[in-house]
Amino acid sequence: MTQRIELIPAIDIIEGQCVRLTKGDYGQKTVYGSRPAEVAREFERLGFSRLHIVDLDGAKSQHIVNVGVLREITSATSLTVDFGGGIKSEKDITAAFDNGASMVTVGSVAVTRPDLFLDWLGKYGADRLILGADVRNGKISINGWKEDSEQDLLPFLRQYVERGVKHVLCTEISKDGTLQGPAIELYQSIMAAYPGLHLIASGGVSGNDDIERLDRAGIPAVVFGKAFYEGRIDVARLGLPHHESTTI
């Protein structure tokens, strides 16, 4: 493919292991590796330049848990890492940056403490803060997807885009980990409303065809995990600057 869309593989962490959930259900967990730093090194060797890390223990506990794994990954690679999961306080956000994250994804705080989110936006800048917008039945979900708020997606985004947010990670929870295809119409509606946004689509990618569909739809970036770990993505077809044939 002629690559325009930014390609971002994901590592989700539970108890120090690389895992994937289905629809955010901690009871539907598949372990793909016991050494996340080695998985990250393989991504770098394949030619990826960015990595999305989710601390699922942190999301559940409402504070960062796997900061040591973050440090291992950022020490072992030169990947640009964005980190999310459990960032609820200044201590959490500082720990993420101090341990090598280039960007952090903040979702729940933007719902429950908009004042705090805007404070962080002003302090750290729009280039380092990603607004997490996890959606279920059209409503923003929080706290590791365990709770649904009353906030609708587009108005939720509007209040922050108007205040300078540039990066949004949007996960359609019903699609996540299902390999049933991404919610392209949802992402197109966001881009139609906010055409200058760097929108990262997340959830449901089943292979190269889905990535190419998102690219043709004008979506700026995509996160994928399970499709890659299940061998459904042909790396050579992605058009990365360089890649080595290898298996994670």
Side-chain angles (χ1 to χ4, degrees):
M1 62 183 283
T2 301
Q3 182 190 330
R4 295 183 301 276
I5 193 168
E6 185 177 14
L7 305 169
I8 310 173
I11 292 179
D12 292 359
I13 304 166
I14 291 179
E15 296 179 349
Q17 296 182 310
C18 179
V19 307
R20 295 299 287 176
L21 305 181
T22 299
K23 299 183 181 180
D25 183 353
Y26 285 74
Q28 298 186 60
K29 178 182 73 175
T30 304
V31 177
Y32 288 104
S34 59
R35 298 180 178 179
E38 181 56 34
V39 175
R41 280 193 290 267
E42 293 291 351
F43 281 133
E44 187 171 42
R45 282 195 280 269
L46 288 169
F48 295 101
S49 60
R50 182 164 167 184
L51 179 66
H52 175 62
I53 300 177
V54 181
D55 182 354
L56 289 172
D57 292 314
K60 196 172 186 179
S61 303
Q62 300 192 40
H63 61 83
I64 287 181
V65 173
N66 288 289
V67 70
V69 179
L70 170 62
R71 168 51 64 187
E72 288 178 18
I73 289 172
T74 57
S75 297
T77 73
S78 60
L79 294 166
T80 297
V81 172
D82 69 77
F83 181 87
I87 295 179
K88 299 294 175 63
S89 68
E90 187 81 18
K91 180 180 177 182
D92 291 321
I93 199 169
T94 300
F97 286 137
D98 286 350
N99 285 277
S102 297
M103 309 173 80
V104 296
T105 300
V106 180
S108 299
V109 165
V111 176
T112 61
R113 291 284 310 278
D115 55 332
L116 182 58
F117 180 83
L118 289 171
D119 180 60
W120 290 347
L121 183 65
K123 184 173 183 178
Y124 298 105
D127 289 328
R128 302 194 75 192
L129 207 62
I130 301 169
L131 174 61
D134 302 325
V135 184
R136 180 163 43 209
N137 299 321
K139 302 290 186 180
I140 298 295
S141 184
I142 61 174
N143 294 331
W145 302 350
K146 297 192 296 294
E147 303 172 41
D148 292 334
S149 75
E150 294 301 313
Q151 298 206 39
D152 294 318
L153 174 62
L154 290 180
F156 172 74
L157 295 180
R158 183 184 308 119
Q159 63 182 317
Y160 291 119
V161 171
E162 290 177 349
R163 300 294 290 271
V165 161
K166 298 178 182 177
H167 303 273
V168 170
L169 172 69
C170 183
T171 302
E172 169 50 76
I173 296 169
S174 69
K175 297 278 191 178
D176 192 68
T178 66
L179 302 173
Q180 294 178 354
I184 291 180
E185 290 184 2
L186 173 69
Y187 304 130
Q188 286 178 313
S189 70
I190 295 172
M191 293 307 299
Y194 310 110
L197 199 64
H198 186 265
L199 175 65
I200 307 165
S202 172
V205 170
S206 66
N208 294 73
D209 288 348
D210 286 335
I211 294 171
E212 291 170 10
R213 287 170 60 217
L214 287 164
D215 193 20
R216 288 194 299 272
I219 309 305
V222 59
V223 164
F224 49 84
K226 191 171 186 177
F228 188 92
Y229 297 118
E230 296 284 341
R232 293 168 173 258
I233 290 178
D234 179 357
V235 175
R237 190 172 147 192
L238 292 176
L240 293 166
H242 64 84
H243 76 275
E244 299 175 14
S245 180
T246 188
T247 302
I248 293 179

